[in-house]
Amino acid sequence: MSIFAYDMGVPSIEAFFEKRLAQGRAYFTREEAQAAFDLSPHALSVALTRQVRKKRLARPWRGFYLILRPEDRAFGAPDPVRWIDPLMQYLQLDYRIALLRAAAFHGASHQAAMVFQVIVPRQMRGFEIGRQRLEFVYQNPQAFVQVNQTGWLGSLKSEAGFAKVAGLELTLLDCARYFHKAAGIGGLAQIAKDLGGQAKPSDLAQIAVHYENSAVRRLGYLLERAGHVAQADALRPFVRQAKTAALLDPSVKPLVEGLPGLHEKAPGWRLILNESVEVDF
């Protein structure tokens, strides 16, 4: 079969797309396409590239393709929740949807996720595809394996199946650890207020063992400030392990470089409150 037959809409390629869509699999790998069609590797590459140009396909990763429905074409790609799981399976890499998208999933109504954030145990470059933007956040592999457990994960459902998402307690600790990617300290404070009361104190304490002590203390302080006393108390034992006081927001620089300035302290959490925090009620 010639490459030109594909571009003319010969039923075989249409049937391939339709069969995948009917199965709820709006994606395929290059290897699957190679097995389905009697084309040389070069001819297949040209055929797939032309389908991408026609906006019938999108390619978020080399060798991995998305079949675009008409409603997807205006955005250049469907919501990543519909294809992140098969993509990560293709890459043979464990993952979890996290931070702002996970917080919104759990009910943090103030958080608008402008980027689809995924935590992985490997350094990966994010990318944009159409109007969708993906960001991969690195977590130390040892810590990742310890916390990316079934009991601490949830699942996001779409018509394509399920995708792994951080559970509520894991979301809180991820946002505390990577607060600079979760709308800053103010964003973390809002998430702590919105979600903290639903968190299981015992799970928080168990997961927190695998996070930096300063991140745990920041979360504990913000949970206490939001009135979620039981959850804050579950994290209080971590204060005894702290060797030094930490800044609430280490990204805030003093007015005069080299001078620490005078800041209010939260001795109960060994924090220096160098940033005011406000949340919506």
Side-chain angles (χ1 to χ4, degrees), residues 257-278:
E257 288 294 335
L259 296 178
L262 296 175
H263 302 295
E264 182 184 352
K265 294 184 178 180
W269 294 100
R270 298 206 71 183
L271 291 173
I272 299 172
L273 308 182
N274 63 329
E275 178 76 299
S276 60
V277 176
E278 295 182 4

Side-chain angles (χ1 to χ4, degrees), residues 16-29 32 65-67 69 82 86 159-161:
F16 178 72
F17 287 172
E18 291 302 322
K19 182 178 180 181
R20 302 288 298 194
L21 292 173
Q23 295 171 336
R25 303 176 70 192
Y27 55 87
F28 61 89
T29 67
E32 290 171 325
Y65 295 85
L66 305 174
I67 303 170
R69 298 181 177 91
R82 287 164 47 186
E159 68 272 21

Side-chain angles (χ1 to χ4, degrees), residues 105-123:
F105 169 73
H106 289 295
S109 58
H110 293 81
Q111 301 306 319
M114 304 300 291
V115 59
F116 193 87
Q117 296 165 310
V118 181
I119 290 181
V120 291
R122 191 175 85 192
Q123 296 284 358

Side-chain angles (χ1 to χ4, degrees), residues 74-92:
F75 296 96
D79 186 334
V81 74
R82 287 164 47 186
W83 47 269
I84 190 65
D85 188 74
L87 172 62
M88 301 310 284
Q89 288 187 43
Y90 173 68
L91 297 176
Q92 299 182 334

Side-chain angles (χ1 to χ4, degrees), residues 111-267:
Q111 301 306 319
M114 304 300 291
V115 59
F116 193 87
Q117 296 165 310
V118 181
I119 290 181
V120 291
R122 191 175 85 192
Q123 296 284 358
M124 294 178 65
R125 183 177 296 179
F127 61 87
E128 293 186 16
I129 179 166
R131 298 184 187 177
Q132 309 289 355
R133 184 159 67 95
L134 276 77
E135 180 181 27
F136 294 101
V137 179
Y138 171 79
Q139 184 174 27
N140 176 280
Q142 184 176 356
F144 179 89
V145 169
Q146 294 295 329
V147 303
N148 219 57
Q149 303 288 337
T150 301
W152 293 337
L153 296 174
S155 58
L156 261 168
K157 188 178 186 304
S158 75
E159 68 272 21
F162 294 89
K164 296 180 182 181
V165 61
L168 193 149
E169 295 80 13
L170 190 50
T171 294
L172 287 167
L173 283 157
D174 281 342
C175 288
R177 168 63 180 83
Y178 305 102
F179 71 90
H180 55 295
K181 295 181 180 292
I185 283 293
L188 171 59
Q190 189 69 57
I191 291 167
K193 175 198 168 294
D194 291 345
L195 304 183
Q198 306 168 48
K200 295 180 180 178
S202 59
D203 283 355
L204 269 179
Q206 288 182 59
I207 301 171
V209 171
H210 306 289
Y211 283 77
E212 289 83 349
N213 187 277
S214 58
V216 175
R217 283 181 281 145
R218 288 185 188 100
L219 178 60
Y221 165 74
L222 293 171
L223 287 170
E224 182 178 65
R225 192 175 183 276
H228 305 311
V229 178
Q231 290 78 10
D233 285 348
L235 302 181
R236 201 173 296 280
F238 290 87
V239 179
R240 293 193 293 270
Q241 302 169 17
K243 296 180 180 179
T244 60
L247 295 173
L248 177 62
D249 188 347
S251 67
V252 174
K253 299 189 180 299
L255 294 177
V256 179
E257 288 294 335
L259 296 178
L262 296 175
H263 302 295
E264 182 184 352
K265 294 184 178 180

